[in-house]
Amino acid sequence: PGMVHDACIFRNSRLFKQLQEGTYFPDQKITIGDVEMPIVILGEPAYLLLPGLMKPYTGSLDSSKEQFNYRLIRCRMVVECAFGCLKACWHCLLTRLDLSATNIPIVIAACGVLHNICESKGETCMAGWDIEANRLLADFDSQTPGRLEEHS
């Protein structure tokens, strides 16, 4: 943990290969309101742009690209806070898992399933976690230079 950049790990993953081949989300879409949209994974600027992977624009940006980046980063922060909450509840995810590479995804998925069951039953893992997550989002909003107002 922490010794290899996420983008390097991602480039060496099966997920990367499937996205590159366009086989991870083959023609899957979701309808939000009246808009049909493809399903995508949100990535960091360091990731390669691939089919099924959305990442922020870089370089000189016009206001629409800045707005896109702002919203994309906000979405990524929600995901990161969710993973933080998952790790806070299931401490085995905080350290190296001494398991076979085959079993690690199973353990992570099991933690996710157990977490969702706890959430559906109204159980909370760490008091104040949502307060900390909301504080991080508010800090991000206040520190974003040239932030455009959200439009529905």
Side-chain angles (χ1 to χ4, degrees):
M3 303 226 11
V4 179
H5 192 277
D6 293 348
C8 183
I9 293 170
F10 177 61
R11 259 185 260 118
N12 291 306
S13 70
R14 187 175 60 182
L15 172 61
F16 177 84
K17 187 175 188 178
Q18 289 176 317
L19 286 171
Q20 221 175 10
E21 296 167 350
T23 59
Y24 194 76
F25 296 121
D27 301 322
Q28 292 183 18
K29 298 192 185 300
I30 186 170
T31 303
I32 300 174
D34 295 335
V35 179
E36 188 176 81
M37 301 174 60
I39 297 173
V40 296
I41 293 175
L42 306 180
E44 298 177 349
Y47 291 3
L48 294 175
L49 188 60
L50 300 166
L53 178 92
M54 189 180 293
K55 67 179 222 164
Y57 288 102
T58 58
S60 179
L61 307 177
D62 62 22
S63 62
S64 65
K65 288 180 180 174
E66 284 180 8
Q67 181 72 18
F68 172 86
N69 281 0
Y70 170 77
R71 290 183 176 166
L72 181 69
I73 292 168
R74 281 284 308 233
C75 290
R76 281 195 53 241
M77 288 184 72
V78 169
V79 172
E80 287 183 28
C81 286
F83 277 111
C85 183
L86 182 68
K87 290 191 286 187
C89 295
W90 308 100
H91 291 209
C92 65
L93 300 177
L94 291 173
T95 62
R96 181 174 179 235
L97 292 173
D98 289 324
L99 302 168
S100 71
T102 304
N103 289 332
I104 290 173
I106 295 167
V107 169
I108 294 170
C111 290
V113 169
L114 291 171
H115 182 76
N116 288 344
I117 291 169
C118 291
E119 288 281 322
S120 71
K121 301 292 183 187
E123 297 287 329
T124 56
C125 295
M126 185 176 161
W129 177 260
D130 57 339
I131 294 168
E132 176 66 10
N134 288 330
R135 185 192 64 73
L136 289 171
L137 286 171
D139 286 351
F140 170 75
D141 284 344
S142 67
Q143 294 174 9
T144 303
R147 179 186 168 284
L148 300 172
E149 291 300 314
E150 296 254 7
H151 300 287
S152 298

